[in-house]
Amino acid sequence: MPFAQLVIGPPGSGKSTFCDGMHQFMSAIGRKCSVVNLDPANDHTSYPCALDVRDLVTLEEIMEDDQLGPNGAVLYALEELEHNWEWLEHGLKGLGEDYVLFDCPGQVELFTHHSSLRNIFFRIQKLGYRLVALHLTDSYILTLPSLYISTLLLSLRAMLQMDLPHLNVLTKIDNLSTYSPLPFNLDFYTEVQDLSYLLPQMAQESSVIGNPKFEGLNKAIIELIEDFGLVSFETLAVEDKKSMMSLLQAIDRAGGYAFGGAEGANDTVWQVAMREGMSSMTAQDVQERWIDRKEEIDEMERKALEEEAKTKETPSLVDDAGDDDDEDDDIEEIERHIPDSGVKVVRRN
């Protein structure tokens, strides 16, 4: 049974960057992965593209032939893809059991009320894929209460529209320290705690928003979000290995990958660690790493990398057998910190 991630989100949220980073990360941990580009406007993908919707239809052709603007052309392109479903079905069958990442267009209409993208996802599901929708949003939205509330509404609408296992992700979390300080800790935003505390913040943000005539509307929107109680956020710094591992573990739990059978008796230490959830990060961990102590931890990591580079440059004073013994000792040290998974780890020679 193949698995897939459906990467959606507004423009600039980092969808293509995420697909590139996740493809590299999965390859590094030994999970075979392919990327499918469903964005007809994305003509320069940074990742190796297994399937590209531009081979079927391009944005430029639609705009020229049908006299449509960019947004209308993207909607038309997705309708064309839905109509020519056999093209995508044939391409996906050629990928076998690969874990697939779908890089989707950024027009919010596609995942809030337009039906084509949703219909395509349901057809993919009927092929046997276990799907997880990932709604990416730039973490900058945390700096403005009104923008945060708007994002909650957008995320809620997308969850109801897609009707699939769904994770909302705050990307570029490593940039938060460069913005103005947040009035609350990060877990207030990721767990979507009592939103009424944001009302005074919204009044200070803008005299228009703080106008008494909008007070009832603001309260009604907050109550709507809290009544559903569906929205929460994961975090991501795409260049940080631990952040990627933590997010992938959440995705695996949402899609059922984490509950499948063992991937094999020759699993690497990284693969066992992924299954055992060794690198999950709480909101408090993320707050410490990327907001409270970012510069300090960055400096510690830089020095550690320099020491590692010096060690590699130093000529070895032991023979090859001694090197093998050191490698065995290193792996045994790592394995002592991994909970028993019931899978025997056998190193390949």
Side-chain angles (χ1 to χ4, degrees), residues 54-296:
R54 291 178 61 84
D55 294 336
L56 174 68
V57 60
T58 67
L59 196 70
E60 296 80 10
E61 291 174 350
I62 296 175
M63 292 175 65
E64 182 178 351
D65 295 344
D66 298 279
Q67 299 298 308
L68 293 173
N71 287 343
V74 170
L75 298 180
Y76 186 95
L78 267 292
E79 292 172 356
E80 189 73 14
L81 176 60
E82 181 186 5
H83 182 70
N84 293 277
W85 161 250
E86 295 78 11
W87 175 86
L88 182 58
E89 180 181 17
H90 177 74
L92 290 176
K93 287 181 178 178
L95 300 181
E97 295 294 311
D98 284 12
Y99 196 117
V100 181
L101 307 174
F102 290 92
D103 187 7
C104 300
Q107 275 68 18
V108 297
E109 303 97 314
L110 290 170
F111 48 88
T112 56
H113 61 271
H114 196 268
S115 61
S116 288
L117 192 62
R118 181 187 184 208
N119 293 341
I120 292 169
F121 289 167
F122 285 168
R123 289 186 177 184
I124 294 172
Q125 197 173 38
K126 288 182 179 179
L127 294 179
Y129 279 86
R130 297 289 296 273
L131 304 179
V132 177
L134 294 183
H135 187 182
L136 307 189
T137 306
D138 192 329
S139 59
Y140 176 78
I141 60 106
L142 303 184
T143 62
L144 295 173
S146 61
L147 193 55
Y148 174 66
I149 296 295
S150 300
T151 300
L152 291 176
L153 277 176
L154 177 63
S155 301
L156 176 59
R157 184 66 190 95
M159 294 178 77
L160 298 175
Q161 171 76 1
M162 293 292 101
D163 197 21
L164 290 166
H166 194 112
L167 290 176
N168 300 296
V169 183
L170 294 171
T171 61
K172 308 177 188 178
I173 203 72
D174 46 325
N175 290 339
L176 266 184
S177 62
T178 64
Y179 306 140
S180 57
L182 301 178
F184 305 103
N185 286 336
L186 185 62
D187 58 352
F188 175 88
Y189 300 95
T190 58
E191 298 171 8
V192 190
Q193 297 177 8
D194 191 348
L195 297 177
S196 63
Y197 286 103
L198 290 177
L199 290 173
Q201 303 291 330
M202 292 173 65
Q204 295 175 13
E205 177 187 337
S206 167
S207 58
V208 175
I209 298 176
N211 192 306
K213 68 179 181 180
F214 293 120
E215 183 178 351
L217 175 61
N218 294 337
K219 289 182 178 179
I221 292 174
I222 285 174
E223 289 174 0
L224 173 68
I225 296 169
E226 292 180 334
D227 285 346
F228 274 95
L230 294 176
V231 185
S232 62
F233 293 96
E234 302 292 332
T235 60
L236 175 66
V238 74
E239 295 182 352
D240 183 71
K241 179 171 60 179
K242 191 171 182 180
S243 180
M244 288 289 282
M245 286 186 69
S246 180
L247 178 59
L248 184 55
Q249 286 164 359
I251 296 169
D252 287 348
R253 290 192 297 270
Y257 191 96
F259 308 110
E263 294 162 345
N266 288 323
D267 285 355
T268 65
V269 170
W270 281 112
Q271 288 171 311
V272 176
M274 282 296 302
R275 281 201 307 277
E276 298 299 334
M278 289 186 61
S279 296
S280 59
M281 298 179 69
T282 65
Q284 290 78 13
D285 295 330
V286 177
Q287 168 110 19
E288 180 181 23
R289 172 62 185 91
W290 298 113
I291 301 177
D292 297 340
R293 299 178 57 203
K294 182 179 185 299
E295 294 183 1
E296 178 185 349

